Amino acid sequence: MPFTAGGTITAAALDLMDRPPVAVLAQTSVQSIPNTSWGVITFDSEIIDTYSGHSTVSNTSRYTCQVAGTYRITGRVSFAVNSTGSRGARVHKNGAFLIGGANLLGAGTLNGVIEVSHILTLAVSDYVEIAGGHNSGGALSTFYANECGSMMYVERISS
């Protein structure tokens, strides 16, 4: 919220400065992603969600914007070990993938962890998701253990 000379500072403006919209979402159980497709990642745990933009009951893949502005969306998709093919992660807005919002890498002998980030403008009720994809030859599960797991990070960076 921009301030202008002679303007009034409101409680809502101060609240946004003190408690901006931020969410950190985690997947704590595995999810099967079909071969050669992009599956939106479901998040069953909230580490922080200052404006209740996420639900662990319905539409668990989504963060729904509660305060309009410019946001940084970062996602991490963690896949189980499989040395065939490639892995990818991408950002979706309102169900559609974003140009420039994807990252791909080849498979290896460790868990495939791919991160992607995008800065975008969100209106109230817009939603964002993180999707993971692969071409390993068969269905491949996400992975969750210790420090490895799929995550979504949402932070409002300006009005």
Side-chain angles (χ1 to χ4, degrees):
M1 177 171 285
F3 295 102
T4 58
T8 303
I9 298 175
T10 65
L14 290 174
D15 186 47
L16 277 173
M17 290 173 60
D18 183 51
R19 188 180 64 97
V22 173
V24 178
L25 312 176
Q27 182 182 69
T28 62
S29 58
V30 299
Q31 174 184 349
S32 181
I33 306 292
N35 186 46
T36 67
S37 68
W38 292 91
V40 292
I41 303 301
T42 56
F43 298 101
D44 56 357
S45 179
E46 298 165 352
I47 297 168
I48 186 171
D49 186 3
T50 59
Y51 278 74
S52 301
H54 179 259
S55 170
T56 58
V57 177
S58 64
N59 295 319
T60 60
S61 63
R62 297 178 180 183
Y63 177 86
T64 302
C65 180
Q66 306 298 306
V67 178
T70 302
Y71 283 76
R72 177 181 296 119
I73 309 300
T74 303
R76 179 183 335 139
V77 180
S78 179
F79 282 103
V81 174
N82 182 310
S83 59
T84 303
S86 300
R87 310 290 174 265
R90 67 186 190 187
V91 178
H92 289 191
K93 177 182 175 183
N94 298 329
F97 75 89
L98 299 171
I99 300 297
N103 189 14
L104 302 171
L105 89 137
T109 57
L110 300 173
N111 297 92
V113 179
I114 307 95
E115 283 201 4
V116 63
S117 186
H118 209 294
I119 294 176
L120 59 150
T121 301
L122 297 177
V124 173
S125 299
D126 282 344
Y127 67 91
V128 291
E129 298 171 300
I130 302 301
H134 68 92
N135 61 353
S136 68
L140 187 60
S141 292
T142 59
F143 180 80
Y144 168 76
N146 303 320
E147 71 277 2
C148 288
S150 299
M151 306 279 291
M152 184 192 310
Y153 307 90
V154 178
E155 59 181 317
R156 185 173 183 264
I157 57 176
S158 72
S159 56

